[in-house]
Amino acid sequence: MSRVVRDVAEVASPCISVCVIDAPTGLCAGCYRTLDEIAGWIGLSASERETLLVELVRRRAQHGGAIASRCLDGAHPEAPDAQR
């Protein structure tokens, strides 16, 4: 089933307030966006936002385990799940 988005506000930001950039990938450990994507979110159309959300699912599948491991290993000490 396809959903038609009529308004940019209907496409919520993927931010989960875990704002830590993973150095090896350049992706946020919380939402998997790059800094440019985070900064540019406000200017994206609903269609562009939905396209990016699909890409973020792919990135999480590809990089999520490694990013989470680095957070747990303390590589990102500011991440909430990092062990100190």
Side-chain angles (χ1 to χ4, degrees), residues 9-68:
E10 291 181 32
V11 183
S13 169
C15 179
I16 61 168
S17 298
V18 177
C19 304
V20 177
I21 299 300
D22 177 62
T25 62
L27 301 175
C28 173
C31 67
Y32 296 91
R33 292 181 292 174
T34 65
L35 286 174
D36 287 342
E37 291 166 342
I38 292 166
W41 180 262
I42 192 86
L44 297 179
S45 69
S47 175
E48 291 168 326
R49 288 180 178 191
E50 286 187 327
T51 298
L52 181 55
L53 290 175
V54 170
E55 172 63 15
L56 299 180
V57 171
R58 186 197 66 75
R59 288 179 192 170
R60 179 182 301 263
Q62 182 178 0
H63 301 287
I67 291 172

